[in-house]
Amino acid sequence: MTDAANDPLLAGYRRFRTEHWPEAKAEYEALAAGQTPHTLIVACSDSRADPALIFDAAPGQLFVVRNVANLVPPYQPDGQLHGVSAALEFGVKALKVRRIVVMGHAHCGGVAAMRNGAPDDVQDFVAPWIEQGTPVVRRVAETADPADVEQASEEAIVRLSIRNLRTFPWIAEREAAGELELTGLHFGIAEGILRKLTPAARFEPLA
């Protein structure tokens, strides 16, 4: 059991209450009435690529969906449990976000598992989850320069998720009407630089 006196999570909460809460209290009280985020972000669960930190976002601005390898599965309303799709539906239909961002990142373990196979101890859920991106990543690995395979495969998963977003009819319709923007990004952990997917299907550094 974690020692409460040395628990880093509780220490962070105490800093929040003493250093941040007094000046943010009014903001949180207003947010208690409801949220109106402008952007929905699909990001990886990786602890090194936190969207709220990267975009210096205040509470209420981002509706964030995080999973292994920032994957968006295709539209499949079959009555089964679809956490990512449920979040997309809520964000687009209920919250009416104006943008969906898919943000991949450097040194992604989920994408690495697509290239090399999932470790033996994560076969129950991780292995079948990442299988949806494995064919795309393996094709990239066959054609890219070995020095570029890691980043190229991470970028390929962002492209795949963007394509899959467009299989959701209520996303495709809003994008076509100019009511919703789809954006692909890749975050370089070591250098702190975001690169954006351009209309030419390349990732270019943001100014």
Side-chain angles (χ1 to χ4, degrees):
M1 182 177 293
T2 305
D3 178 3
N6 298 306
D7 187 339
L9 201 63
L10 291 180
Y13 166 69
R14 294 186 186 104
R15 289 193 301 273
F16 167 77
R17 287 291 297 174
T18 58
E19 299 171 16
H20 182 70
W21 178 256
E23 63 184 40
K25 183 174 182 292
E27 180 183 5
Y28 276 91
E29 287 174 342
L31 285 170
Q35 60 172 324
T36 55
H38 53 73
T39 298
L40 186 158
I41 297 183
V42 181
C44 184
S45 299
D46 194 295
S47 60
R48 302 166 295 177
D50 183 350
L53 286 175
I54 293 167
F55 295 103
D56 192 25
Q61 293 182 335
L62 304 179
F63 189 67
V64 180
V65 186
R66 300 183 74 171
N67 64 63
V68 174
N70 43 269
L71 282 163
V72 174
Y75 179 71
Q76 191 175 8
D78 55 10
Q80 300 301 308
L81 302 177
H82 296 282
V84 174
S85 300
L88 289 170
E89 184 176 42
F90 188 77
V92 171
K93 290 186 173 183
L95 299 178
K96 302 189 186 312
V97 296
R98 299 187 298 277
R99 177 188 300 176
I100 300 176
V101 171
V102 177
M103 187 182 77
H105 68 91
H107 315 303
C108 181
V111 177
M114 296 175 200
R115 293 193 302 273
N116 307 314
D120 291 341
D121 55 354
V122 291
Q123 293 295 310
D124 289 352
F125 298 102
V126 173
W129 173 254
I130 64 169
E131 185 60 33
Q132 61 189 307
T134 297
V136 170
V137 165
R138 297 247 170 112
R139 284 197 295 272
V140 168
E142 291 172 357
T143 57
D145 185 286
D148 301 328
V149 164
E150 183 179 41
Q151 182 168 307
S153 57
E154 292 158 357
E155 293 172 351
I157 291 303
V158 174
R159 293 189 187 94
L160 173 65
S161 288
I162 294 286
R163 288 197 300 272
N164 285 346
L165 282 171
R166 293 187 171 115
T167 67
F168 290 74
W170 26 269
I171 289 178
E173 290 164 6
R174 284 167 171 77
E175 184 187 26
E179 300 169 354
L180 184 64
E181 178 184 353
L182 305 186
T183 301
L185 298 173
H186 181 273
F187 176 65
I189 292 173
E191 68 272 15
I193 292 175
L194 275 173
R195 297 164 63 252
K196 182 179 180 181
L197 179 61
T198 69
R202 295 190 301 269
F203 282 80
E204 301 289 348
L206 287 173

